[in-house]
Amino acid sequence: MAKKAKTVFVCQECGYESPKWMGQCICGAWNSFVEEKAVELDEADSRRRGSSVKAAMTGGSAASRAAKPTRLAEVKTADYRRMDTGIGELNRVLGGGLVKGSLTLISGEPGIGKSTIIIQAAVWIAENYGTVLYVSGEESEEQIKMRAERVCRGDTKNLFLLAETNMEVIMGVVEQLKPVFLVVDSIQTMYSEELDAAPGSVSQVRICGNLLMRLGKSGDLPIFIVAHVTKSGELAGPKIVEHLVDCVLNFTGERNQDLRILRSYKNRFGTTSEIGAFEMGEDGLTGIENLSGSFLEGLEDGTEGAMATAVYEGTRPLLLEVQALTAPTNIGFARRTALGVDHSRLNMILAVLERKAGISFINQDVYVNIVGGLRPEGTATDLAVALAIYSVYRGIPGDSKTLAMGEIGLTGDLRPVQNGEKMVKEAARMGFTRVILPRRNQEKIREIPSGLRLIGVTNVKEAIEALQG
Ligand code: TYD
Ligand code: MG
């Protein structure tokens, strides 16, 4: 089949193709266009495509039978068949295990532990379900073997390694080997012969993603695809694979600390608010059961500007420590630095404190940090942020047995948070003796854990009084 190559410009952010270079893409991104060679279908090719579409419409060919629509009522609603990955935290983030035929993208910065978690899952699946194929374009077979031996001591006779980057070759091997689980590490190193663009380019990543999707869906084969991201957390270049796949998992953490958080940004088979926590050690990644405990490790009595709080992540409550610091501004504008807390949320909380607690922050730099590097979603941390700032500003020593939670409204009122009762239970489990919470949450709690005092408050002022009391 004769193919003509033409030059197009592709947006690295959204995949939009343009015949000419543009400074700003229609998606809003600046300087995101890269030049690529696209292969044009020749006339005969497109005619063939057109005729198969026509045949499908009139019900004439084999393709048409495959494309027969099904009545909603006739679709079987059998539960997704899931596989255990042998890693509890990974199962949870996936929504209860690995769904057969699903495509999962694991993204993260280089060196964060993507290959490690995947080899651990691959060894377990190979032991318990059958043949697993681990394709790597990043490392040699010897390197993968060394890692596998370091992290697992299981029986790995069903685990096959392949150092290859050509998609056509990989698909041939899959056809022969018929694995129950396929790993492709990483999509940025793979290429298809169909295109002459370089591996890692938008069009290569897109075609490889498409080929893998077809491979997975037709054979009921679950596939893990590794994708590298840039420092800022963006998928390097091609966001395009994100909407092809069923799940997008992101692996984050500080490289010099052991804690790793796995979070799902998209999940067709479960919730996206679930997180998994791991510790990177000598022999790979181990799930952390008591995550609250590890986040609260450094909380001590008498520290000004430290406050415990609770959030709800996915299906479990999680306790965290908020730290705040205020310092007189030296030159120019007062700085506001927030880590793990939304910046505009912090500004709002400062404005409420100015108004309701009579503090002026105009000449004060304010720093807020959620210890452990987590960025909790939602507003349950508002009250703890406000109290931590108040405590450091007024020099009130903190109490390591007090926890605060609640959303702050613009009028300084406290709004209830969801799952309040479960967070209170977690606080009791972790040995807290006092919880400052919105009155409306307190009223709903039927069973107060023993040893715990609940202080229901309706606004920030009352919360501050409770803190001092
Ligand atoms: P890796 O899984 O290769 O990262 P990625 O695939 O995301 O690029 O992990 C690399 C880092 O993890 C490396 O710095 C070494 C460290 N590591 C451990 O600390 N313990 C282990 O058991 C393994 C396998 C890796
Ligand atoms: Mg790797």
Side-chain angles (χ1 to χ4, degrees), residues 396-413:
I396 301 167
D399 167 14
S400 68
K401 295 280 170 263
T402 298
L403 181 141
M405 62 191 194
E407 175 184 328
I408 297 177
L410 286 182
T411 57
D413 58 322

Side-chain angles (χ1 to χ4, degrees), residues 111 114-116 134 138-139 147 185 226 228:
K114 302 180 293 296
S115 305
T116 307
Y134 189 110
E138 308 245 327
E139 292 162 308
R147 182 187 293 106
D185 188 358
V226 173
H228 293 298

Side-chain angles (χ1 to χ4, degrees), residues 421 424-425 428 433 442-455:
E421 184 152 10
V424 164
K425 265 201 194 127
T433 53
Q442 183 204 13
E443 285 164 0
K444 281 202 191 124
I445 295 175
R446 273 163 268 128
E447 216 180 295
I448 300 171
S450 65
L452 194 69
R453 192 153 66 92
L454 297 182
I455 308 175

Side-chain angles (χ1 to χ4, degrees), residues 119-189:
I119 199 81
Q120 284 178 249
V123 169
W124 208 89
I125 292 174
E127 252 183 70
N128 292 279
Y129 291 92
T131 311
V132 171
L133 178 60
Y134 189 110
V135 182
S136 179
E138 308 245 327
E139 292 162 308
S140 67
E141 283 150 13
E142 293 78 23
Q143 279 171 309
I144 308 169
K145 183 174 168 143
M146 271 163 59
R147 182 187 293 106
E149 279 177 348
R150 186 170 165 188
V151 299
C152 308
R153 266 149 215 89
D155 171 14
T156 50
K157 70 176 191 306
N158 282 333
L159 179 59
F160 289 79
L161 307 177
L162 176 68
E164 180 59 65
T165 54
N166 181 321
M167 277 305 298
E168 279 74 23
V169 174
I170 294 167
M171 289 192 299
V173 174
V174 168
E175 202 152 291
Q176 272 187 354
L177 201 63
K178 299 202 183 349
V180 296
F181 177 47
L182 172 67
V183 176
V184 177
D185 188 358
S186 67
I187 185 120
Q188 278 113 330
T189 56

